[in-house]
C-alpha cells in the first residue's frame, strides 16, 4: 500500500477514517518517505489527529518529511484557472472563479473533478513519494471516483474533457493508486461497506480496495463470572465480540486494527494507529 | 403549541434510534407526536410502522398518538419546483438533467428537504411534538444553513449577473459584463455545456422569490426549535458535538443537552479484580474499566468546556427493535431535558 503514489481512505462517517489516514501518513513518514497528507473534503479530522489546528490549502510541514493540507475548492479552482490560462495575477480571476463555482454547482461532476484533480496533480508532481488522502465518506465516494468518467461523457470536447482522461487512468491504475475502505465490524458500517464494494466491482473506476476493519476486539475466550460487575463486563465483551465475528466474516477485511483502549486524545490514537498498521502491513 | 425537537449529531451514534425513542416515550405519555427519520435501519423502520416508505406521516398501528414519516429528498426538490415555479417551467425543471444533478450533488439539498419538511410539520399544528432526526450532510450543520444556501443557489447575485436579469422567452443571452468570464469557461468546459447549464439556471431563478420567502419561514421554525446533540464517547463524534455547540447558537439556538449514547456503568471504573479470577477475565475487566474511565473523562470535559447539560443513555446489548425496546432505552437514561419540550415528567 505504501509503495503506491496515492492512498485514498474512505469509509462511513465515524469508523476512524481520519485516524487511519493519519496513522498511514505517519507510518510512511517514519519509513523515510516524503509524504503529503490531504484532508479532501474539509472534515477536519486529520488536523485534530495531527494536532495542528485548521489545515490550509498550502501544504505545511508538520513533521520532517510529512506535509499536510486540505483541499479548498475555491482555491483549487483559482489555481487551476491560473495554470490553464497561463496568466499571472490570479486575483484578477476571483470573479471568474466565483462565477465558475456557481455554475459548477449545477453541473454534475464539475465540483468533484476540481477536488480530485487537485489531488491527482499533487500525485503527478515529483515532490511527494506518497499522497495519503483522508477521502470522502463512502456515501460520496462514487461521485468523486466517477467524476472523470462523467466529465468525459458530459464534455468530450472541452479542455477539461481531455484532462479527465489521464485522471481516470491514474485513479484506475493499481500501480499508482490504492483505495482503502475503512469499516467497523458492526451492522451499519459493514452493510455500507458491502454496498460500496459491490459498486466498485461494477464500475471499475479504482483498483480493488483494501478493506480495513477498525476497533476489532480481542478474543478472550469463554469469560464467566458470578460477580455482578465482572459478569456484566464479560457479557458486554462476549456480545460485542460475537457481533463483530458475524460482520468480520461477511466483510472479510484484509487488515484488522485492534480496539485501542485507554487512549484519550486524537494525537495518541494516530500514533498508536501507525504502530498497529506497521504490525498489520 | 407544537414543540419541535431537532436531534443532531454525527453519523453512526444512534441519532435515529434516540429520536425514535424520544417519540415513543412522548407518545406514551399522552403527547401527539410525529417522528421524521432519515434512512432508518430496517428493524427500526419496521418498529415505527414505516414498512412502506413515504414522506407523508403515517399513524402507527399499535401506538395511537404516534405518527412517523421518512425523508425523501428527491421528492422535496420536485416539490420546490412545483411550489415555486410556473407549471411549464416546473415540468421542464423536473425533467432537467442538471436539476437532478443539483438535487443529488448540492451538498445541502438533503438538508434543505429535511428542513422544509420539518417546517411543514411544525407549522401544520397537528402534533404537540415533532421530532426530527436531522441528516448528517455537511457534518449536520447544513440542516440549519440550508434554507439560506438554497436561496443563494437559485438567486445569488452572481447568477443574476451571469444571466443578466429577467429575460423574455427561452433563448439564453449572456450578460455583456459576463462575456469575458464565459469565454474562459467555454474554453475549459465546452460552450454547449455552459449554455445548457445557463438555461437551467434561468428556469431555476424563477423560483427565487418563493424559495427565499419559504427559507425565511423555515429559519423561523429552526430558531424556535429545541435541539439535542447525540454522540457516543468516541473522539470523532465528540469533535462533531463540540462543533454543534460552537456553531448552533449563531444559526439556530443553543442545544438543550448533549446526549451521550452507549454509556458504560460508572461502577465499572474500579472492577473487583481479585486473585482467583482467570487472566482473560482480568484482562476484560481491565480493558472495559479503562474504557469506562475514558468515557467519564470525555463527558466531564464536555460539560466543563461548553457548559452543557449532559444526558446519558446506557449501553445495551441489543439494539431496540420494537416500541417497548425504544421506550426502555430512555427509561434507563438520565439527565434528559423532558420538561423543556412539553413533557412534564422528568425521567
Amino acid at each position: 500500500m505504501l509503495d503506491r503514489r496515492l492512498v485514498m481512505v474512505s469509509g462511513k462517517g465515524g469508523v476512524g477514517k481520519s485516524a487511519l489516514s493519519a496513522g498511514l501518513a505517519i507510518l510512511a513518514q517514519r519509513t523515510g518517505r516524503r509524504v503529503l497528507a490531504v484532508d479532501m473534503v474539509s472534515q477536519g479530522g486529520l488536523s485534530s489527529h495531527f494536532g495542528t489546528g485548521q489545515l490550509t490549502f498550502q501544504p505545511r510541514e508538520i513533521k520532517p518529511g510529512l506535509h499536510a493540507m486540505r483541499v479548498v475548492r475555491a482555491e483549487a479552482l483559482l489555481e487551476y484557472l491560473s495554470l490553464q490560462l497561463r496568466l499571472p495575477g490570479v486575483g484578477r480571476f476571483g470573479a471568474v472563479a466565483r462565477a465558475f463555482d456557481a455554475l459548477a454547482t449545477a453541473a454534475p461532476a464539475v465540483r468533484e473533478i476540481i477536488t480530485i484533480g487537485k489531488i491527482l496533480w499533487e500525485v503527478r508532481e515529483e515532490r511527494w513519494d506518497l499522497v495519503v488522502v483522508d477521502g470522502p465518506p463512502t456515501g460520496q465516494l462514487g461521485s468523486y471516483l466517477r467524476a472523470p468518467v462523467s466529465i468525459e461523457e458530459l464534455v468530450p470536447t472541452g479542455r477539461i474533457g481531455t484532462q479527465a482522461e489521464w485522471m481516470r487512468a491514474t485513479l484506475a491504475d493499481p500501480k499508482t493508486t490504492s483505495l482503502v475502505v475503512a469499516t467497523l465490524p458492526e451492522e451499519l458500517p459493514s452493510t455500507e461497506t458491502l454496498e460500496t464494494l459491490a459498486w466498485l466491482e461494477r464500475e471499475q473506476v479504482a483498483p480493488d480496495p483494501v478493506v480495513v476493519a477498525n476497533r476489532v476486539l480481542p478474543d478472550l475466550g469463554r469469560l464467566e463470572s458470578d460477580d455482578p460487575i465482572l459478569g456484566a463486563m464479560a457479557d458486554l465483551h462476549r456480545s460485542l465480540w460475537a457481533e463483530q465475528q458475524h460482520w468480520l466474516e461477511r466483510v472479510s477485511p484484509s487488515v484488522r486494527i485492534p480496539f485501542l483502549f485507554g487512549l484519550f486524545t486524537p494525537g495518541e490514537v494516530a500514533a498508536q494507529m501507525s504502530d498497529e498498521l506497521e504490525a498489520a502491513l | 403549541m407544537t414543540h419541535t425537537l431537532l436531534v443532531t449529531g454525527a453519523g453512526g451514534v444512534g441519532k435515529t434510534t434516540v429520536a425514535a425513542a424520544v417519540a415513543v416515550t412522548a407518545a406514551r405519555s399522552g403527547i401527539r407526536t410525529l417522528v421524521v427519520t432519515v434512512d432508518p435501519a430496517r428493524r427500526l423502520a419496521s418498529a415505527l410502522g414505516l414498512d412502506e416508505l413515504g414522506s407523508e406521516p403515517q399513524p402507527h398501528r399499535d401506538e395511537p398518538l404516534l405518527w412517523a414519516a421518512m425523508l425523501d429528498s428527491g421528492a422535496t426538490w420536485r416539490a420546490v419546483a412545483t411550489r415555486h415555479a410556473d407549471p411549464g417551467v416546473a415540468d421542464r425543471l423536473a425533467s432537467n438533467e442538471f436539476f437532478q444533478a443539483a438535487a443529488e450533488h448540492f451538498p445541502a439539498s438533503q438538508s434543505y428537504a429535511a428542513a422544509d419538511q420539518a417546517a411543514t410539520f411544525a407549522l401544520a399544528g397537528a402534533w404537540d411534538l415533532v421530532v426530527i432526526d436531522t441528516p448528517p450532510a455537511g457534518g449536520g450543520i447544513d440542516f440549519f444553513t440550508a434554507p439560506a444556501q438554497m436561496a443563494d443557489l437559485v438567486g445569488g447575485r452572481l447568477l443574476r449577473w451571469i444571466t443578466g436579469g429577467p429575460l423574455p422567452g427561452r433563448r439564453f443571452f449572456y450578460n455583456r459584463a459576463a462575456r469575458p468570464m464565459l469565454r474562459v469557461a467555454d474554453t475549459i468546459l465546452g460552450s454547449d455545456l455552459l449554455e445548457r447549464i445557463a438555461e437551467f439556471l434561468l428556469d431555476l431563478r424563477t423560483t427565487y422569490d418563493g424559495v427565499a420567502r419559504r427559507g425565511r419561514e423555515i429559519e423561523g421554525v429552526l430558531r424556535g426549535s429545541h435541539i439535542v446533540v447525540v454522540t457516543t464517547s468516541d473522539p470523532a463524534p465528540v469533535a462533531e458535538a463540540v462543533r454543534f455547540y460552537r456553531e448552533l447558537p449563531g444559526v439556530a439556538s443553543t442545544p438543550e443537552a448533549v446526549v451521550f449514547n452507549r454509556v458504560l456503568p460508572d461502577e465499572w471504573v474500579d472492577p473487583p479484580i481479585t486473585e482467583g479470577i482467570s487472566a482473560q477475565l482480568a484482562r476484560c475487566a481491565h480493558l472495559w474499566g479503562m474504557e469506562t474511565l475514558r468515557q467519564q473523562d470525555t463527558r466531564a470535559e464536555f460539560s466543563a468546556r461548553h457548559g452543557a447539560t449532559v444526558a446519558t443513555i446506557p449501553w445495551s446489548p441489543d439494539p431496540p427493535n420494537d416500541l417497548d425496546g425504544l421506550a426502555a432505552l430512555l427509561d434507563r437514561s438520565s439527565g434528559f431535558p423532558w420538561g423543556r419540550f412539553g413533557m412534564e415528567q422528568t425521567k
Side-chain angles (χ1 to χ4, degrees), chain A residues 115-278:
Chain A
T115 299
I116 201 110
K118 168 64 184 167
I119 287 165
L120 292 171
W121 197 263
E122 294 294 338
V123 170
R124 193 150 105 155
E125 295 289 293
E126 296 296 317
R127 263 179 94 187
W128 323 110
D129 298 315
L130 180 67
V131 176
V132 177
V133 178
D134 182 11
T138 34
Q140 298 166 27
L141 179 67
S143 57
Y144 280 100
L145 290 181
R146 214 181 170 281
V149 183
S150 307
I151 289 288
E152 281 182 275
E153 288 167 5
L154 196 67
V155 275
T157 56
R159 196 180 293 169
I160 236 181
T162 330
Q163 288 157 345
E165 199 181 322
W166 78 256
M167 290 186 190
R168 176 174 52 75
T170 309
L171 273 179
D173 178 12
K175 289 198 208 66
T176 309
T177 302
S178 174
L179 178 64
V180 174
V181 177
T183 190
L184 298 183
E186 294 169 13
E187 180 181 0
L188 292 181
S190 296
T191 312
E192 196 166 311
T193 299
L194 291 171
E195 282 165 9
T196 304
L197 296 181
W199 184 89
L200 287 166
E201 175 78 35
R202 230 174 21 248
E203 296 283 334
Q204 294 291 321
V205 285
D208 290 341
V210 176
V211 179
V212 177
N214 195 12
R215 294 197 214 138
V216 177
L217 292 170
D219 180 2
L220 296 179
R222 282 168 52 80
L223 288 182
E224 275 168 7
S225 174
D226 295 332
D227 179 87
I229 293 178
L230 293 180
M233 288 173 134
D235 282 348
L236 168 83
H237 191 91
R238 259 201 326 266
S239 124
L240 288 180
W241 184 85
E243 180 176 351
Q244 288 202 345
Q245 295 314 300
H246 172 77
W247 293 108
L248 286 169
E249 263 168 44
R250 293 239 188 139
V251 174
S252 56
S254 31
V255 178
R256 297 178 182 205
I257 305 289
F259 194 110
L260 305 178
F261 284 96
L263 298 183
F264 285 75
T265 68
E268 288 171 353
V269 171
Q272 182 69 34
M273 187 68 95
S274 79
D275 291 346
E276 299 295 344
L277 281 164
E278 187 170 24

Side-chain angles (χ1 to χ4, degrees), chain B residues 147-189:
Chain B
Q149 286 185 42
M150 182 67 117
D152 196 54
L153 172 70
V154 303
R157 261 186 314 160
L158 266 165
L159 229 61
R160 262 174 282 164
W161 177 68
I162 297 162
T163 53
L167 289 169
R170 285 284 296 145
R171 184 79 193 112
F172 170 58
F173 295 104
Y174 297 141
N175 176 7
R176 184 181 290 273
R179 267 185 204 150
M181 186 291 284
L182 291 166
R183 267 205 303 277
V184 170
D186 273 2
T187 324
I188 295 165
L189 283 176

Side-chain angles (χ1 to χ4, degrees), chain B residues 47-70:
Chain B
L48 291 173
L50 282 173
D51 296 318
E52 284 172 29
L53 317 182
S55 50
E56 286 301 311
Q58 300 167 28
H60 196 281
R61 56 185 179 274
D62 304 322
E63 197 62 53
L65 296 178
L66 181 64
W67 281 256
M70 188 112 81

Side-chain angles (χ1 to χ4, degrees), chain A residues 91-119:
Chain A
R92 290 176 53 202
F93 293 99
V96 173
R98 282 198 304 276
F100 195 94
D101 201 43
L103 288 178
T105 305
V110 171
R111 302 153 50 93
E112 287 86 354
I113 202 89
I114 291 164
T115 299
I116 201 110
K118 168 64 184 167
I119 287 165

